[in-house]
Amino acid sequence: MKTFCSVWLLLSLVELSPAPPVSQEPPLACTGAPGHAPQSETAEDMASTGDLEPTHYPARRAATVALHYLNTHHGSPFRVFGLQQVHKASAEDVAAGGRKYKLDFSVTDWASGSEGPALRCSADVLFPQAERHSGPEVQLHCEALQQLNRTAQEEHAFYQRYISPESAISARDIPDSYGNVSEEMQPFWRLARVAASFIMLRESSENTEFNMAQVASVTQQGSREEQLMLEFVVLLHDFPSQEIIQWKLLASWSPDRGVRVLQTEWQPRCPHATKPPN
Amino acid sequence: MKGLLVLTALFVAVFGKKTFEGDQVLRITPKGEAQISLLKELSEQEHLGLDFWREPVHESLPVDVHVPFHSLQGVRAFLGYNQIQYNVMIMDVQDLLDDEEREMVKYRSFPRSTDDFVYTNYHDLNSINSFMDMLVAENSNLVSKIVIGQSYENRPLNVLKFSTGANRPGIWIDTGIHSREWVTQASGIWFAKKIVTDYGRDPVLTDILNNYDIFLEIVTNPDGFAYTHSRDRMWRKTRKPNSGSSCVGVDPNRNWDAGFGGAGSSSSPCTETYRGPSAHSEPEVKAIVEFVKSHGKIKAFVSIHSYSQMLLYPYGYTSTPAKDKTELHELARKAITALQSLYNTRYTYGSIITTIYQASGGTIDWTYNQGIKYSYTFELRDTGRYGFILPANQIVPTAEETWLALMAIMEHTKNNPY
């Protein structure tokens, strides 16, 4: 809606399931724009090894990766986890190249409001050598996951409401500029956040720290194999580079199968290239 | 366009006292003449109560139809059976009308005083400028407005000066240097009102103002701010074009002459952390530089951003610790303890380079190197759930808790003159 740059999209069809695939590099469609995983110009080697300060960014970035992993496995329209605090962290170089972080941290479920209990988690996060072009590997354990409030009823009701063939949900800008999300759109926002976590996990490195800034759009596709099919366009925010990165993705969900991401497509966004209107 | 149609519906609603609960607006994309005919037939079924916002005319044009709740199932079945493509443009017409009504009520009365002003909402540039003028008019013995320069697009760079006497040392606070960080400008407005309310009532603030002037720049990047309202909510930088590039804007928090050009800023105009062609190249930055230098007695400098919930001190461009690191660290701890006491909002604190990331050419690195010891940057709520688009109902709680931290910093500054 705002750009006049000449753009050329490369469709990268990636089947995402627990085994992370190799993603294709999208083209540098915007002159001078960063690649889809922008590297900030960190010259100083912050090779933190040994015990890490939990409130500093190396530990926090690794914990964020573990959080994305947690959401891909346990997120739903009624459950999204946020990082509350990192308690302990350490890092070491590994024999095959790359760096492994050990983390002790707490998360909260955003869906249960600000009074939700904190869950304690521990994780190993391995960032492989940069040359290998693959995403981080995570091993994660959280206490009391099973003891979280059951959301089966809400999931079922939500599923029933939107699985019918006539359902054709369509919305933009969630939240809107003022931070509003309607009651009805909340589960869709959470689904987008979970689906976006697959991308954020895959694209993470020690030089990134991803979050989902906004859902630009959600468009329901025809249901397939009893799965809700949703096409999302999400805006991701990367902290170190401060870039907003746009991804289109196709996700499926059902109470039984959970969230799956079937296709992802990086969308060049050239807001920087907009000339002021004369 | 949709707004106009909705307003019309509202007009009808108010006068016709209808309710549109459960009604939907469908956008139908007919393919082929046969489908157009079917739709025309559908439009003739009066008992359905359909209201076509866009009539079926030609197969390349979408058809928008407002479908009353009682007809929905039938209409969707009809469309499905005939394989006519459509999507739901408005999920619930009444919901949308209710939202619009709420928004209109909020803006129906232009505030006539700063007591009328709606602090629990986000405002645009005109509204904020009116607020500032009203505040000055209502408190002319305490507040004045200084214009320290012009933005690239020639908007005034307005600073509110709170002063109870001449030749005082000063404390500087700025919000909105990155335009998409809306909770900061909104908090700045609240701070301004808080200062005039508490002077003469709160002993600590009164004592501070009897010894120091407070300078508050609420919209530090007005061009960017206007752009977030009109075109791109996620705009961060200034709006100055870059020669030799189609990309616009410079990151005003990488444009200062402190480690300028180093790692932690970008040399590409098409990036969010582009440092600019030279230090202080941006008029928005240069204006503050000149103000600080000519004032000569600024003793604390706080630059406010969002999001992350952090309180940061220099340096960002180098890992060499600041000379006053111990004191700055301890004061930060006190400040965020005060902040947390209100709503239990957790902040982390530390130097920029260790806590958030390496950043060169940053504001408070420059102010610190100028000798302004108490130089701090805040990153306000939240930690990522809403990020830049923080719901408006969090503006006031954010401002309230942040104020406690600011007071801690200002009080310490007053008690430790240098």
Side-chain angles (χ1 to χ4, degrees), chain A residues 145-156:
Chain A
L145 260 176
Q146 306 314 318
Q147 279 151 47
L148 284 174
N149 277 342
R150 305 294 310 150
T151 56
Q153 227 177 347
E154 294 113 305
E155 288 184 36
H156 194 70

Side-chain angles (χ1 to χ4, degrees), chain A residues 31-32 41 56-57 60 85 110 166-168 170 177-179 184 189 211 237 239 242-243 269 272-274, chain B residues 76 86 88 91 180 233 246-248 263-265 270-272 307-308 310 346 353-355 357 384-385 389:
Chain A
T31 332
E41 296 178 16
H56 290 179
Y57 71 78
R60 195 178 56 248
Q85 207 186 348
W110 283 340
E166 291 96 56
S167 176
S170 179
S177 288
Y178 304 85
E184 176 171 26
W189 181 88
N211 192 39
H237 173 228
F239 243 92
Q242 289 293 336
E243 294 295 331
R269 203 176 171 264
H272 311 274
T274 310
Chain B
R76 293 172 88 152
Y86 71 94
V88 182
M91 276 301 306
R180 62 191 180 195
R233 175 63 177 82
S246 58
C247 294
V248 173
S265 66
C270 298
T271 57
E272 297 283 19
Y307 59 95
S308 268
M310 294 176 179
R346 284 168 200 256
I353 197 171
T354 56
T355 312
Y357 41 54
R385 178 175 181 177
I389 28 188

